[in-house]
Amino acid sequence: RYLPDAVHSALAQQGVDVEVIVVDDRSTDDSRRVADRLAACHPEVRVISNQENLGHVRSFNVGWEASIGEFTVKLDADDLLAPDALGRAVALFEAHPSVGLVYGHPRHFASDHPPAARVDALRWVVWRGEDWLMERCRLGVSAITNPEMVLRSSLLRQSGPMDPSVAYAPDMEIALRLATISDIGYIEGADQALHREHADSMSETDGAGLLVDLQARRAAFERALGVRRDSAEFRDRARAGLAREALRVASAAGD
């Protein structure tokens, strides 16, 4: 029921040529029919149907491998891109060729109708990938929930697809991995995405729970940092950050 809004939020982006690939992962409702209707009305939309249920990570990889765009966004069917989000991200990419990932603020909402996206005075922040990565390790958390993350496709092809073994934190894992080979850009002062919260979302069903979240973050750090030769310092810092977070959560539960 949310798919048309998600697709239209991508098609409405200004200043960029958008290719929308909808991957139907053997859905059991009328999602395929809805997707086909969107493709019939919009030549920018293409539908791919999996022959078997692959899960959300492998399904993203199927769509990404079929894409031809210079930049890539993983847009879940219940989320939306904020107006002009892609144009803002591409402008940062073009100004800073060393940047492999751009993200911004995701506005979360639980109402039937998405709120108006915030657009204030804009400012760019660009970090060295290593500095951004070390800060993620220190805190033990990801700064990204998706779909406010835009990836440079050439670097995604260089580093490899999303990792299906990190089922509940694939966005975090690919962000950490790209930070090992590129700089990271942030758009400050605007909402880059609208993240819908509802009872049927994965974060409220299969991926719910503090322990699941901590284990997913640990897996994301372990997989992403494994590609670095000097991974020991980063891994130790990430484990310490996760341990502090686990202790904080356990203490709060005890209280």
Side-chain angles (χ1 to χ4, degrees):
R1 61 190 183 278
Y2 300 130
L3 180 59
D5 287 346
V7 170
H8 287 136
S9 77
L11 295 175
Q13 296 294 308
Q14 298 292 313
V16 292
D17 295 325
V18 177
E19 171 194 34
V20 178
I21 298 177
V22 181
V23 181
D24 180 69
D25 192 27
R26 301 294 293 175
S27 57
T28 56
D29 55 13
D30 64 343
S31 292
R32 174 60 196 267
R33 182 175 59 83
V34 173
D36 286 341
R37 189 166 61 242
L38 288 165
C41 296
H42 303 283
E44 306 95 331
V45 178
R46 179 155 49 115
V47 180
I48 296 176
S49 292
N50 292 339
Q51 296 304 305
E52 59 180 314
N53 181 262
L54 299 179
H56 70 112
V57 181
R58 287 188 174 91
S59 291
F60 164 77
N61 290 336
V62 167
W64 162 66
E65 288 167 359
S67 69
I68 60 172
E70 187 178 355
F71 305 102
T72 303
V73 177
K74 177 178 177 285
L75 176 61
D76 292 338
D78 50 3
D79 294 332
L80 304 98
L81 295 175
D84 301 325
L86 299 187
R88 289 189 289 267
V90 169
L92 195 159
F93 276 120
E94 291 181 342
H96 296 276
S98 65
V99 168
L101 182 154
V102 171
Y103 71 107
H105 181 261
R107 183 166 183 177
H108 295 255
F109 72 99
S111 59
D112 291 336
H113 301 287
R118 175 181 58 100
V119 180
D120 297 324
L122 295 178
R123 187 170 78 94
W124 290 345
V125 181
V126 176
W127 291 279
R128 285 197 320 145
E130 188 169 283
D131 295 338
W132 187 88
L133 183 62
M134 184 61 81
E135 183 68 0
R136 294 300 102 215
C137 293
R138 184 184 72 82
L139 296 174
V141 299
S142 172
I144 296 170
T145 58
N146 215 56
E148 73 276 12
M149 175 175 67
V150 185
L151 310 169
R152 193 182 292 275
S153 300
S154 60
L155 291 181
L156 188 56
R157 297 189 185 282
Q158 176 184 333
S159 67
M162 284 193 171
D163 191 339
S165 70
V166 190
Y168 299 124
D171 310 322
M172 178 180 178
E173 192 276 334
I174 197 65
L176 296 172
R177 189 158 23 113
L178 283 182
T180 69
I181 59 174
S182 71
D183 294 337
I184 305 296
Y186 181 78
I187 296 172
E188 191 174 85
D191 293 327
Q192 285 293 97
L194 300 173
H195 188 279
R196 191 189 305 267
E197 297 178 347
H198 59 94
D200 295 327
S201 67
M202 183 174 293
S203 58
E204 297 296 327
T205 53
D206 293 350
L210 293 169
L211 186 58
V212 171
D213 179 51
L214 284 167
Q215 291 172 332
R217 279 188 263 160
R218 181 178 66 181
F221 278 117
E222 295 289 337
R223 299 289 292 185
L225 296 175
V227 303
R228 293 187 62 95
R229 293 180 180 177
D230 58 345
S231 62
E233 179 184 0
F234 288 86
R235 186 179 287 110
D236 288 347
R237 181 163 295 199
R239 288 171 175 168
L242 287 170
R244 284 192 298 271
E245 178 74 359
L247 181 60
R248 182 189 67 79
V249 170
S251 297
D255 290 343

